[in-house]
Amino acid sequence: MRISVFGLGYVGAVSAACFARDGFDVLGVDVAASKVDGINDGVAPIVEEGIQELVSEVVSAGALRATTDAAEAVAETDISMLCVGTPSRPNGSIDLSYVERVSEQIGEQIARKIEPHVVVLRSTVIPGTLDDIVVPTLERASGKRGGDGVHACMNPEFLREGTSIRDFYDPPFTLFGATDDFAAERLTECYAHVDAPIYRVSVKAAEMVKYACNAFHAVKVSFANDIGNVAKAMGIDGQEVMRVFCEDTKLNISPSYLKPGFAFGGSCLPKDVRALTYEARRHDIETPILRAALETNAGQVDRAARMILETGARRVGLLGLSFKEGTDDLRESPMVALAETLIGKGIELQIYDRNVREAGLIGANRAYIEAHIPHIWSLMTESVEDAVHGTAVIVLANKDDEFARVEELRSDDQIVVDLARAIPGHTSSDWYRGICW
Ligand SMILES: NC(=O)c1ccc[n+]([C@@H]2O[C@H](COP(=O)([O-])OP(=O)(O)OC[C@H]3O[C@@H](n4cnc5c(N)ncnc54)[C@H](O)[C@@H]3O)[C@@H](O)[C@H]2O)c1
């Protein structure tokens, strides 16, 4: 397979050289003649460990050359990879003009081709870019239709500058979304030499995963710095703290707590984050990431309340009241906060939680709920059936096994608001509303 790589910057130069080493016939394209001439002379256009040796090797082997002529590149290859820049505009939005321009150039040449041509977007782009900009531009410029002449994939890149050649061959995964199976198969062939799992997801999910990854990396750095700054102010070595922190691969460096859904609560997380931010302030240290965790959490309760209120329901069944399944702990349960908000808006509630029983509740737990919802016991029901009976909306707050049967119990006019994906296999529709799906 012959590959053209548009944009010979950090991503494009590394991809072009690595695909060439993997046995593909690669043609690099850039508007910068100096980069093109450099490559044809065996000179890498970027500074990066190992790239100079690799470019020189694949260029002399005849596996890689470069051109400024987009038409030639499309005519002579089977697949085009777009690695052009997507810089920030002053207002923070991304500038997609390079992506659009290259799509137009490629589309004009696809018009002249008989064989199918696959276009792969590797630049980091806001979800919707492939479907709403790249494919329509290719269609307009080529006069052909998506899936019939126009075949496209979103295949984000995960390399890091400094270790990019190593990262190319050892990525966390190869991720893509494709407009059709032909595009998916061609792209998969390109990664035959890369030993990593291949995940095919929807095009928009592929675009979004890249942002989720970079946002998470940014949050990790700033979280570590928030902790390090408070630690130092208290006379503690911040790096020692985070070194041990990272040894916990069960809860800390793990998939735990990384499922979008409802707010956190309980007797520890809110209290302890509050205490730490208070202590930080006492030392004149700002901890914006920690503060934001509390703000986002409160926002998630508001979001759930809005989802319920927007239905116009007057009677609502709440399934789950404690802060998570399998416990009767109501202290700082976000469901209690949600229930309070709904009661304040005049909503009639029917609440069921098999772990929360008036007779069984003692101490701080009982005091907490009675201080927040004094008439709580008159709202509690004995079964899921009783809680959903006669309501317009059923809210699922946790994954208690009992809640899965709500799908069968509900009548056609009842809306389910799912905060925990207690009923798997659905995304939001007319009767089913997931909080983050
Ligand atoms: N740099 C990284 O570590 C990295 C990692 C992963 C993803 N990304 C993403 O990959 C994309 C590219 O990043 P980069 O750092 O390689 O960018 P870059 O700015 O280094 O390179 C972009 C290249 O595209 C060329 N170009 C612009 N318009 C063109 C056109 N019409 N035809 C051909 N070439 C054209 C430019 O001349 C330039 O050489 C961005 O979306 C970026 O967010 C970057």
Side-chain angles (χ1 to χ4, degrees), residues 7 9-11 30-31 35 83-86 102 123-124 157 159 161:
Y10 288 89
V11 171
D30 205 291
V31 285
K35 291 193 182 185
C83 305
V84 293
T86 49
V102 175
S123 305
T124 302
E157 173 56 62
L159 59 77
E161 286 174 26

Side-chain angles (χ1 to χ4, degrees), residues 193-244:
H193 295 80
V194 175
D195 183 21
I198 295 185
Y199 298 130
R200 180 176 176 181
V201 296
S202 70
V203 167
K204 282 188 182 148
E207 291 167 325
M208 186 66 184
V209 169
K210 176 68 193 173
Y211 280 100
C213 292
N214 276 356
F216 188 47
H217 302 163
V219 167
K220 282 173 84 170
V221 171
S222 295
F223 171 79
N225 288 341
D226 267 8
I227 296 290
N229 293 342
V230 191
K232 180 178 177 184
M234 294 193 280
I236 304 160
D237 179 340
Q239 287 213 339
E240 185 184 12
V241 171
M242 290 308 292
R243 194 166 51 245
V244 180

Side-chain angles (χ1 to χ4, degrees), residues 142-204:
S142 67
K144 296 185 180 172
R145 308 286 314 147
D148 181 16
V150 169
H151 308 273
C153 296
M154 175 65 206
N155 169 218
E157 173 56 62
F158 293 96
L159 59 77
R160 294 161 299 171
E161 286 174 26
T163 52
S164 58
I165 295 177
R166 236 179 307 142
D167 290 349
F168 181 91
Y169 287 107
D170 187 24
F173 42 66
T174 296
L175 171 72
F176 73 91
T179 56
D180 56 84
D181 289 343
F182 177 76
E185 283 158 18
R186 294 322 296 269
L187 181 65
T188 307
E189 285 172 44
C190 295
Y191 289 103
H193 295 80
V194 175
D195 183 21
I198 295 185
Y199 298 130
R200 180 176 176 181
V201 296
S202 70
V203 167
K204 282 188 182 148

